[in-house]
Amino acid sequence: MDIEQTTEIAISEHTRKLGHLAMQLGYEGALTVGALEDEIRFYQQRTVEACLELGKRLLILKEITPHGEFKQRTEMLNINERTAQRFMSAAYKFSKTDNLSLLKAAGNQSKLLELLVLDDEDIAELSNGGSVNDITLDEIDRMTASELKKALREAKADNDAKDQLVQKKDQKINELDAK
């Protein structure tokens, strides 16, 4: 048996196993890398949209239930209280403006929830094609959720440090003015 036959047998065996896995999972789509990646992107986007829709409904449910009952209802729905809060925050925050480009860049639930640390002006800036702390929509699209989280936290820490420096300088100026 030559190397070509061995390779052909290995490819044939792999294809058979792949077909069996797809059938076992009930998957009926194309078995190519490109098609699978396109479908994954499609379902990631649907996940983001579903998170926002879930958040909207949780906000309304919270509003119409008597005081103290919302937590019980989310528990009955098997939704963790912290998770419910994050979905509601995302729905509220991202329903304010046309953020389609930002939501597309988020691409998945994890990145969407990381973007909650941004204020409304930052979200509007990104949606309009600008950048926030040198982070653009293209970069958000390419980052993993953990990379995005790290970048946003670092940017926030830098801004906090700058704010503290400005406050110290203002305080020093005020002290000198008083003298």
Side-chain angles (χ1 to χ4, degrees):
M1 189 180 291
D2 66 359
I3 197 154
E4 285 181 23
Q5 287 177 321
T6 305
T7 303
E8 194 173 306
I9 291 171
I11 290 171
S12 176
E13 179 64 18
H14 179 71
T15 303
R16 187 189 64 74
K17 286 181 181 179
L18 183 60
H20 179 69
L21 175 63
M23 190 170 62
Q24 182 181 357
L25 296 172
Y27 176 75
E28 297 177 0
L31 296 174
T32 65
V33 172
L36 290 166
E37 287 175 345
D38 288 345
E39 290 174 353
I40 289 167
R41 284 185 195 95
F42 171 77
Y43 284 107
Q44 283 178 322
Q45 187 63 36
R46 283 191 51 193
T47 301
V48 169
E49 292 164 2
C51 289
L52 295 175
E53 292 300 322
L54 177 64
K56 290 174 190 177
R57 283 151 182 82
L58 286 167
L59 281 166
I60 294 168
L61 178 65
K62 184 173 184 173
E63 191 63 32
I64 65 172
T65 55
H67 181 73
E69 195 176 304
F70 178 71
K71 184 177 178 181
Q72 293 171 326
R73 296 216 174 253
T74 57
E75 287 172 358
M76 287 182 349
L77 294 166
N78 291 322
I79 300 174
N80 174 288
E81 184 178 5
R82 176 72 180 129
T83 302
Q85 290 295 331
R86 293 187 83 192
F87 284 144
M88 291 187 303
S89 294
Y92 186 73
K93 184 170 285 231
F94 294 110
S95 69
K96 292 180 183 178
T97 59
D98 178 29
N99 297 303
L100 188 59
S101 57
L102 182 58
L103 296 177
K104 186 176 181 185
N108 64 51
Q109 171 186 337
S110 299
K111 287 192 333 190
L112 171 72
L113 296 176
E114 290 305 328
L115 292 170
L116 287 176
V117 301
L118 298 174
D119 59 27
D120 293 345
E121 293 80 21
D122 291 341
I123 290 170
E125 179 68 24
L126 283 169
S127 294
N128 293 328
S131 69
V132 173
N133 300 314
D134 298 326
I135 301 171
T136 64
L137 284 180
D138 287 340
E139 290 168 335
I140 290 171
D141 187 35
R142 288 190 301 268
M143 290 177 173
T144 64
S146 59
E147 290 169 339
L148 178 60
K149 180 178 184 174
K150 181 180 178 188
L152 292 172
R153 298 307 188 265
E154 286 173 355
K156 183 172 177 15
D158 287 348
N159 286 342
D160 289 347
K162 288 176 187 174
D163 289 346
Q164 286 179 352
L165 183 61
V166 169
Q167 284 178 345
K168 285 180 183 179
K169 287 182 177 183
D170 286 346
Q171 184 179 9
K172 188 67 171 174
I173 290 171
N174 290 340
E175 287 173 7
L176 291 172
D177 273 350
K179 288 180 182 179

